[in-house]
Amino acid sequence: MPRQLGELEDTVMTRVWQWNRPVTVREVLEDLQQERSIAYTTVMTVMDNLHQKGWVRREVDGRAYRYTAVSTRAAYSAALMNEAWSQSDNPAAALVAFFGMMSAEQREALRDAIRVVAPTFPEPSESRSDAGTATDEASPESGR
């Protein structure tokens, strides 16, 4: 699991994810400078760190590099949620608490996500060792 991004790393990666194309340090710098005073070397160092950590890949373009995200923001968020959940000593309670914090829109997004992945989940009876018995008992041949 990749570790959580720092504040400036997240700010830079947000742009890389939003733009969804190879970007230069200069492009990120100019965008960041609309919000804050920041030096070229600071952005260059952050982007180099992101490359070293495996968040972005880079290709030489003239005298500069073009950086591209290695994965999506959604994959990063999912990895963070999975890491937090796996650290819990009571995963079911953690999920209940997490669901309790969700807004109505987030709960609807969760319902949508479950509908998307539900066909790929085995039925509960299929994952048990006695799945064959339960299926046989409910088959048409059993008279039920």
Side-chain angles (χ1 to χ4, degrees), residues 27-86:
E27 291 173 307
V28 174
L29 171 72
E30 289 173 357
D31 195 61
L32 289 174
Q33 285 180 330
Q34 295 176 28
E35 301 171 2
R36 63 171 87 181
S37 175
I38 190 166
Y40 180 92
T41 53
T42 301
V43 177
M44 183 176 62
T45 299
V46 168
M47 295 195 76
D48 185 60
N49 289 344
L50 290 167
H51 176 256
Q52 296 300 323
K53 293 176 181 180
W55 288 105
V56 294
R57 65 178 146 263
R58 65 185 180 194
E59 295 178 9
V60 175
D61 183 13
R63 295 180 53 207
Y65 286 114
R66 288 207 173 267
Y67 294 85
T68 308
V70 170
S71 68
T72 64
R73 178 75 178 210
Y76 168 68
S77 297
L80 289 178
M81 289 187 286
N82 187 55
E83 176 70 13
W85 186 43
S86 69

Side-chain angles (χ1 to χ4, degrees), residues 4 27 38-39 45 56 61 69 98 109 115 118 122 126 132 136 138-139 141:
Q4 187 170 356
E27 291 173 307
I38 190 166
T45 299
V56 294
D61 183 13
F98 179 65
R115 281 191 286 274
E126 293 175 16
D136 291 345
S139 69
E141 296 84 18

Side-chain angles (χ1 to χ4, degrees), residues 5 13-20 55 69 71-73 76:
L5 296 170
M13 281 305 302
T14 295
R15 278 146 178 88
V16 174
W17 282 318
Q18 286 174 341
W19 295 339
N20 196 26
W55 288 105
S71 68
T72 64
R73 178 75 178 210
Y76 168 68

